[in-house]
Each structure stands twice: as structure tokens, then as C-alpha cells.
Amino acid sequence: MIRIDGVTKRYPDGTVAVDRLSLDIPDGAITVFVGPSGCGKTTTLRMINRMVEPSEGRILIDGEDSRRQPVNTLRRSMGYVIQNAGLFQHRTIVDNIATVPRLLGWSKEKARSRARELMERVGLDGSLAKRYPYQLSGGQQQRVGVARALAADPPVLLMDEPFSAVDPVVRKGLQDELLRIQAELGKTIVFVTHDIDEAVKLGTMVAVMRTGGRLAQYAPPAELLSDPADAFVEDFLGADRGIRRLSFFPSAELELLTGPVAAAGTGRTAARDTGDAPYLLVTDADGRPLGWAEPGLPTDGPVDPGRLLPCGRPFVAGQDSLRAALDCAVLSPTGWAVAVDGSGRVAGVVSQQAIGEAIRAAHAGGRSDGADTGASAKVAG
Amino acid sequence: MNGLFDLPSDLQHSYLGLVGLHLREALIPVLAGLLLALPVAQLCVRLRWLYPPVLGVTTVLYAIPSLAFFVVLIDYTGQTETTVMIPLAVYSLVVFVPAIVDGVRSVPQETLDAATAMGLGPVRRYLQVQLPIAAPAIIAGLRVATVSSISLVSVGMLIGNQGALGNLLYDGMSYGRPRLVWLSVIGTAVLATVVDALLVLLRRILTPWMPRGARRPSAGNRPEPAVTAGKGAAR
Ligand SMILES: Nc1ncnc2c1ncn2[C@@H]1O[C@H](COP(=O)(O)OP(=O)(O)OP(=O)(O)O)[C@@H](O)[C@H]1O
Ligand SMILES: [Mg+2]
């Protein structure tokens, strides 16, 4: 565990970048520092590997003052990833990744084979190994940066806005990759960003900092969204925190109706017993959704898919969150969301109203259970 | 009729001998200048306030005509090669210091931060990161220093025949033999061109990491060889 204990950083010009910061960074989890520009995030991160020395207070690594060990030993036990990757432009990709193993005295062959192994882990094609950084895209360079930080298998990874210079699609890919790597390797990751969505998506714990280097709130993301500590945090979270909070509620509790679902051409489509639903969801013979049939559309013969209302992107029952379910319902022309199972077959349909009730129930549950349950279990989607 | 490359005996050398001598007198000072410039430049990088005064002093040194240098030096080192090479070493130093300083400074801050964060100490950082990335700038300086040094060696003819190919020019003019003048002038030019081409080749080999086509990745930070070369030519 990394303990930040009453740490203040005053730069020589008098700027107080971090002001009496105290918090514990849990092992094997992603802790995100988030806040507006200049609030002291980078300074905090750099105090952990002593690129910046605290003016007051101390930082304990597994109970021991970080100043007790030689600074370069400390740094080599912590991977460091920055915006634009900061690759060594004069070294090939493998040699960039092999830097720290080489510093630790590994043989060239061993360091390089480790580097190739890591390229695979971060999703880089092996054919890029002999290239130079200028021959890679920004997203690829960032992956190299992550691989380089992981090369000597350090227990801690420090990441300073690593994904902020790439486009949103690439960023999402890198974020998902990081979550996957984290799940596989169980590293202690300290992540700095100014993007609250990124913080909520990646963080097991999120530390919101305010200008002047003070901690505004330190909590799991679900708790942040449900109970912001003050107006600053609430403002920083943005207008739609209620909607975003739904990401933390699973859709498993939703009651799915199978009554208004029928495969095309079967007798049941003719019966059109849709129960409460005004529309009938027509599927193909395999059970995959084709679209909604309006009342009056003859559905006993072969169905012309062109005459069905589109059902949009369905959500995966049990796996996606209530946010995904609500999104499907809102986007659906019928107001009903389509749920599918893992293989894309229709599991049932659910109305906006039913989702609304589930949300109310989830909120009531989330309150009474406290932060532990709802907060730590993040739901995909 | 003499052969094309036959030389008067007072030169005491064959044509190729003169070429070798010329190269020696030109390149040793460049090497000395480079070795001196490395620590000076590193000091200037570490102590920012030192760079402007150093730059001022070196510019003044550069402005001293080589003849004036020779006149002063002859009292100490006599009519020898050394007297020719010392000013050339100083001129090289003057070219190298800003080339190295600018090259090292052009290393992006985030690259340096990454190096520090990975636990590279100052020495490793300098040798493994800053110097290699500054290599293109340093070689650009090397080209300027080398070419101007090759052209300047000839001035040594004025102090006791220490000008290698320059002596040939002197002979040619004093005996009225245009063949010798051409041999000297063209020889010097070819020598400079060939050495320069070799240095370009060296840079290609040393910096496979530079984008092709874009010869200067961080434009604007490098000394302009054309300008400094112009200064050299005026001497
Ligand atoms: N070396 C320095 N000397 C003086 N002041 C500094 C120094 N580095 C940072 N600061 C100041 O300290 C404060 C915090 O800087 P820091 O870089 O930690 O912010 P940040 O949260 O990382 O911001 P950003 O999101 O813009 O990267 C800022 O006001 C900054 O101007
Ligand atoms: Mg920052």
C-alpha cells in the first residue's frame, strides 16, 4: 500500500502545488487522481517516485518511508507512463521496452524476449519490434509506453494522463486494454487524468482534487456520483451524473417479458397476444431480433423486414448495466428495450417504465447497503 | 613534360603526401575542438546562466582573423603545424559548443522525464539519451567545422610552409605555374566535398531513427551551417 501522509509541496517560487494531502492508495487497484488543470495531480504523482520531493509530510510504501531506499531503485520498481508516451526516439520499439530490464542487468536476449512478450500483452503486432517510434501511430506509441512501464514487472504503475493525446476511439480501446491488463496482472495503478468520465470508468477509488492542491473527495466512483461531498465536486461531475451512475447498477434485476416476442412465420405471430406491449418483437428463426411489428401489420406469413420498426442496439441481459438498458429503451421507437443473451438471441423485452422502477429500487438498495456493494462492483456498458 | 601530379622538390612531398598532411592538419583540430566542446557544452546545459557569456566569448574568438592568431602564436609555438592547428581547434570549438548545447536542449522534456522516471541517473541520461538524440545536431556542427578547417589549413602556407595543399598554391603563384594553383584549389575543394559526403554517410548510419526526408526532426534548434560556413569563408 502507498500511504500519502500529510504531504505538502511548495515550489521554490512559492506556489503551493499540493496542500496537506493524506490518503491511502490500495494495492492491486486503480486509484485515479482527477481535477482541473494545475490542481497538483502531476506533482502528487511525481512525489510518489520522488521526481519531486515533498516539502512536508512523507510517503510510505508498504509502511516504509520512500526515502529509505536509493531513489533509482525506487523508480525502477514503479512503471511510469506519460502523455505522448515520451519514447526514446533513437531506440527501436523492443529496445525502448527493454530499457528498465537492461538497467536491472538482464542480458540483452532476455530483455528483448521479455519486450516481445509485452508487446503481445498490450496488443502490439510483433512486426513493429524493429521499428522506430516515428514509424508508429500515437495510439501504438502509447501502447509501447505502457509495455515499457510494465517491462520489469513492477508492482506499481504511475500513469500521468497517458491517454489524453489520442482520439476518443483509440482512447476507449486503450482504457479497455488497461482494465484487462489490470485484471490479469493485479498491479497497483495510480492514474492521473482531468477527464472525470475516464476517472469513473477506470477508478476503483477516485480522488478529486481542487485548485490549490487540496483533496475534495476520495471515494469509489459510484459513491462520488451518488453523494458528491460539496458543490465543487458536484459541479466537476457534470450535469448527467444521475444517468452515469446507472452504469453501476446491473440489469440482472430487470423483469424481461417474452410474451410480445415471436419468430417470423410461426403461428404465434398471428395470434399477436402482446400483453401490455403495444408492439410485437419479431425475430428470425434463430431468435435474433428483426424489428418491431406495428399493430395491423400482417405477420403470419413471411415478414418483410423493411416494414418493421428498427429495434436498435439491444443490451445484454445481466451483463450490461441499467444505463445501457435505459439507453436502448430511450432510443427505441417503441419505448421498449430489447434484451439479448450472450449469443445475441432475444431474452425478452422491457419497457421504459419497468426500467424506471428498477432504477428506483436500485437507488433504494444502494442507499441502505452503503458504498461497499454498489460501488466496487462495476458493471460493463 | 612533367606528369600532372608531379610537384617541385621544395615541397618535400608527393601530391598524395600533401593530401594526407592536409587532412591531418585539418582533422586533428576538429577532433580536439569536439573533445573540448563536450564538457563545456554540458556545463552550459546544466548551468543555464553560463551559456550566454560562453557564447559571447566564443563569438569574439571566432571573430579573430586566423592570421592574427598565427602572429601571436608564433612567439610560443614557432613556425610549426601546432601554430596552424591551435586556431583551427578554437574555431571548431566555437562551432561545436552551440551545436551541442542546442542539440541536447532539443531533447523533449517528456523524454527526459521518462528517462528519469525509469531510474536513469544523470550520467546515463546524458550518454544514453541526450547525446544520441543530439547526434544529428552535433554532426551538422562537425560538417561545418570540418569543411572550414580544410579550407583554412591552406593559410598555414604563410607561416613557414605549414599549409599542406596551401603550400602548393604558394609555389604555383610564386613560380607562375597555373597547374600547381589548380592542383591546390581543386584538390582542397574535392577533399572538403568528399569528407563532407562521408560525414553525411556517417549521420545516416548513426541515426536510422530519423524520419526519412525530414533531415531535421526538431527544426529551428540547430545552428544554421550555411551561416557559420559563411563566416568561415570570409577568413
Ligand atoms: N517546477 C515548478 N515550479 C513552480 N511551480 C510549479 C512547478 N511545477 C508545477 N508548478 C505549479 O504547481 C501547480 C500544480 O502543477 P501540476 O503540474 O501538479 O498540475 P496538474 O494538476 O498536473 O495540472 P495539468 O492537468 O495541467 O497537468 C501549478 O500551479 C503549477 O503551475
Ligand atoms: Mg499534469
Side-chain angles (χ1 to χ4, degrees):
Chain A
M1 189 181 69
I2 300 172
R3 165 167 290 177
I4 298 177
D5 184 14
V7 164
T8 293
K9 177 63 194 183
R10 211 172 289 107
Y11 281 109
D13 65 357
T15 312
V16 176
V18 176
D19 191 8
R20 286 162 294 167
L21 182 68
S22 290
L23 55 83
D24 286 352
I25 294 169
D27 279 342
I30 304 183
T31 300
V32 181
F33 284 86
V34 65
S37 183
C39 70
K41 305 180 293 290
T42 297
T43 303
T44 304
L45 195 74
R46 289 184 174 196
M47 285 194 288
I48 295 174
N49 73 353
R50 292 181 56 197
M51 286 169 77
V52 173
E53 295 286 357
S55 317
E56 278 162 38
R58 51 192 194 144
I59 291 176
L60 303 174
I61 316 251
D62 294 327
E64 197 191 25
D65 194 315
S66 64
R67 282 167 293 201
R68 294 273 301 272
Q69 54 178 321
V71 67
N72 284 337
T73 311
L74 176 80
R75 288 177 185 160
R76 286 170 204 170
S77 72
M78 297 181 172
Y80 189 75
V81 189
I82 43 177
Q83 193 178 338
N84 298 320
L87 298 183
F88 298 142
Q89 51 182 297
H90 61 296
R91 289 194 183 158
T92 57
I93 302 310
V94 275
D95 286 342
N96 261 283
I97 299 173
T99 304
V100 179
R102 291 287 287 147
L103 282 172
L104 292 172
W106 298 24
S107 74
K108 206 164 200 156
E109 294 75 55
K110 192 173 162 217
R112 283 196 173 152
S113 77
R114 167 76 179 154
R116 284 176 185 274
E117 184 188 316
L118 277 163
M119 286 183 68
E120 199 172 313
R121 188 175 283 286
V122 301
L124 283 171
D125 197 274
S127 64
L128 301 176
K130 289 280 167 209
R131 294 220 195 157
Y132 288 97
Y134 82 92
Q135 294 164 311
L136 265 55
S137 73
Q140 288 170 329
Q141 292 192 22
Q142 212 50 260
R143 283 170 199 268
V144 177
V146 174
R148 185 173 66 173
L150 287 169
D153 205 16
V156 177
L157 219 53
L158 308 177
M159 310 183 82
D160 193 350
E161 306 207 22
F163 307 146
S164 59
V166 293
D167 70 65
V169 177
V170 175
R171 187 180 313 144
K172 181 176 182 306
L174 288 167
Q175 290 168 345
D176 293 340
E177 200 92 25
L178 184 70
L179 286 171
R180 189 180 58 71
I181 290 171
Q182 159 65 11
E184 281 172 23
L185 303 179
K187 300 283 178 202
T188 302
I189 298 179
V190 188
F191 192 104
V192 163
T193 179
H194 56 253
D195 176 358
I196 184 67
D197 286 320
E198 188 169 59
V200 166
K201 175 173 179 183
L202 296 179
T204 315
M205 291 292 284
V206 177
V208 184
M209 293 179 72
R210 69 170 96 231
T211 312
R214 273 180 323 226
L215 186 63
Q217 187 170 5
Y218 185 45
E223 187 185 325
L224 211 62
L225 289 167
S226 61
D227 301 299
D230 56 20
F232 169 80
V233 178
E234 184 166 5
D235 214 39
F236 194 72
L237 286 167
D240 54 352
R241 69 181 168 91
I243 299 285
R244 280 188 283 151
R245 192 180 162 220
L246 296 181
S247 305
F248 294 92
F249 299 131
S251 59
E253 304 290 302
L254 286 175
E255 199 175 320
L256 302 176
L257 302 182
T258 49
V261 182
T266 61
R268 284 212 39 243
T269 47
R272 48 171 65 258
D273 170 22
T274 57
D276 293 341
Y279 300 87
L280 180 73
L281 182 71
V282 180
T283 69
D284 62 12
D286 229 14
R288 285 167 219 287
L290 290 175
W292 295 95
E294 283 176 282
L297 183 73
T299 47
D300 43 348
V303 178
D304 174 8
R307 301 195 55 191
L308 297 173
L309 293 173
C311 58
R313 198 157 67 109
F315 71 97
V316 182
Q319 186 182 324
D320 282 343
S321 66
L322 281 185
R323 184 180 181 177
L326 181 64
D327 197 55
C328 294
V330 169
L331 289 177
S332 164
T334 63
W336 284 60
V338 177
V340 294
D341 61 16
S343 54
R345 294 192 181 83
V346 173
V349 293
V350 58
S351 68
Q352 273 180 15
Q353 197 187 352
I355 295 172
E357 275 156 24
I359 290 171
R360 275 192 294 281
H363 277 188
R367 284 268 150 64
S368 55
D369 297 359
D372 285 337
T373 48
S376 48
K378 197 176 295 182
V379 186
Chain B
M1 181 69 201
N2 287 333
L4 178 59
F5 291 105
D6 286 350
L7 305 185
S9 58
D10 65 332
L11 288 170
Q12 295 171 345
H13 283 284
S14 67
Y15 187 69
L16 275 183
L18 279 184
V19 168
L21 198 65
H22 200 99
L23 274 180
R24 204 169 75 106
E25 279 186 49
L27 297 188
I28 288 176
V30 172
L31 206 65
L34 178 60
L35 291 182
L36 275 174
L38 281 170
V40 173
Q42 183 53 10
L43 266 180
C44 291
V45 171
R46 300 217 86 169
L47 311 173
R48 290 192 152 258
W49 57 267
L50 196 62
Y51 188 40
V54 165
L55 210 56
V57 170
T58 56
T59 305
V60 169
L61 285 176
Y62 208 85
I64 302 173
S66 48
L67 261 183
F69 245 125
F70 294 150
V71 169
V72 175
L73 281 172
I74 277 177
D75 287 347
Y76 303 93
T77 49
Q79 300 197 350
T80 61
E81 273 186 358
T82 318
T83 310
V84 182
M85 291 201 281
I86 287 175
L88 295 188
V90 170
Y91 295 143
S92 299
L93 176 78
V94 174
V95 173
F96 278 129
V97 169
I100 300 171
V101 170
D102 292 345
V104 167
R105 280 193 185 164
S106 75
V107 177
Q109 186 59 41
E110 54 207 16
T111 305
L112 286 180
D113 286 346
T116 309
M118 279 187 282
L120 274 81
V123 176
R124 277 208 172 91
R125 213 162 49 219
Y126 182 62
L127 294 179
Q128 295 183 9
V129 178
Q130 291 176 305
L131 221 45
I133 294 179
I138 298 175
I139 295 177
L142 185 61
R143 289 175 62 190
V144 177
T146 308
V147 170
S148 61
S149 193
I150 288 175
S151 77
L152 278 173
V153 163
S154 302
V155 186
M157 69 188 176
L158 298 176
I159 51 161
N161 273 353
Q162 296 299 345
L165 285 173
N167 300 349
L168 196 56
L169 179 68
Y170 190 80
D171 266 28
M173 292 199 295
S174 34
Y175 304 149
R177 289 167 67 179
R179 180 176 64 89
L180 297 185
V181 173
W182 285 119
L183 272 181
S184 169
V185 172
I186 293 176
T188 312
V190 168
L191 203 57
T193 311
V194 169
V195 171
D196 192 51
L198 286 176
L199 288 176
V200 172
L201 191 68
L202 177 75
R203 200 213 59 219
R204 289 252 167 90
I205 293 169
L206 285 183
T207 62
W209 47 270
M210 278 178 75
R212 293 255 168 263
R215 292 205 358 243
R216 291 182 209 173
S218 45
N221 283 328
R222 306 284 157 70
E224 267 304 328
V227 176
T228 11
K231 277 206 261 176
R235 205 163 293 142

